[in-house]
Amino acid sequence: MRPLNFVLIFIICVLLVLFSLQNTELATIQVIEGVEFEAPLAIELIAATGVGAVLAWLFSLLSQLQRMLTARQNIRQIRQQKQRIEELEKDMQQIHQQGQRIQELEGDVEKIHTEENTNNSKTVVSKTNSPDIEAKPVVESEDLTEDSTEDSTDEDPEKTTDTDKEKVNTEA
């Protein structure tokens, strides 16, 4: 683009020199009523062209300044958006980790429930009427294994249920 600009400016300058050599007669320019300038026509035209070039340059500077300001604003917005994206990615990682932890806990809960269901085949809820302890529900579980039924038949049935109740109360 620069070589094209150079060639264009060079051609315009050569044309102005040729024009000024052919137009050397005096011309009068009236700026305001009462203010007049008298100079060769070529000089007046070159001055007018120069003023136009300076004005065009000022307007191009103004438009470049506006583009720079909007570019800076865009860069600032892009930085802010990148920072926000990083924050959101960190949040997503934390949420993902929390979700994995919740799934692990749900799996643990399921394991506990299945263990409880396999260990306790039957659950009975009763209340104790002890003067030292308030009336609380007591959970008794009976295993269907042969060993537990044989042991309970050897001992006194009332003593067995009392010791079972005490065990459950202490565990609770």
Side-chain angles (χ1 to χ4, degrees):
M1 187 73 176
R2 288 184 185 251
L4 181 65
N5 287 342
F6 177 75
V7 170
L8 186 63
I9 291 171
F10 181 75
I11 292 172
I12 290 174
C13 288
V14 168
L15 290 175
L16 283 175
V17 168
L18 291 174
F19 180 76
S20 64
L21 290 175
Q22 292 178 359
N23 295 305
T24 56
E25 64 244 12
L26 293 175
T28 305
I29 298 176
Q30 183 178 4
V31 180
I32 302 174
E33 201 171 314
V35 179
E36 294 180 0
F37 293 104
E38 199 172 296
L41 182 61
I43 293 177
E44 291 174 358
L45 290 174
I46 290 172
T49 305
V51 169
V54 168
L55 288 176
W57 177 71
L58 288 175
F59 285 120
S60 73
L61 284 179
L62 180 64
S63 67
Q64 286 178 358
L65 180 65
Q66 287 175 340
R67 277 186 264 139
M68 281 184 10
L69 290 175
T70 56
R72 284 185 182 175
Q73 289 175 346
N74 291 341
I75 290 171
R76 187 178 303 125
Q77 287 177 348
I78 289 170
R79 285 181 186 157
Q80 289 173 348
Q81 289 173 350
K82 284 182 179 180
Q83 184 180 14
R84 180 69 177 144
I85 288 170
E86 290 173 0
E87 291 173 358
L88 291 174
E89 286 175 347
K90 287 179 184 177
D91 290 345
M92 282 181 54
Q93 288 176 352
Q94 289 176 350
I95 290 170
H96 181 69
Q97 290 172 351
Q98 289 174 353
Q100 287 178 341
R101 181 67 182 141
I102 288 172
Q103 288 177 350
E104 290 172 4
L105 291 175
E106 286 175 348
D108 292 344
V109 168
E110 287 179 22
K111 287 178 185 176
I112 291 171
H113 284 298
T114 55
E115 288 175 4
E116 285 179 357
N117 289 340
T118 57
N119 288 341
N120 299 328
S121 59
K122 187 177 179 183
T123 305
V124 178
V125 177
S126 65
K127 291 187 177 182
T128 60
N129 291 327
S130 169
D132 297 335
I133 303 173
E134 295 179 17
K136 293 183 181 177
V138 177
V139 178
E140 294 179 350
S141 65
E142 295 179 9
D143 290 333
L144 296 177
T145 60
E146 293 178 8
D147 295 337
S148 63
T149 56
E150 290 175 5
D151 290 341
S152 63
T153 55
D154 294 342
E155 297 178 11
D156 188 32
E158 289 182 30
K159 289 181 182 178
T160 311
T161 55
D162 289 338
T163 56
D164 289 339
K165 289 179 184 178
E166 289 175 6
K167 287 180 186 176
V168 170
N169 283 334
T170 56
E171 291 174 1

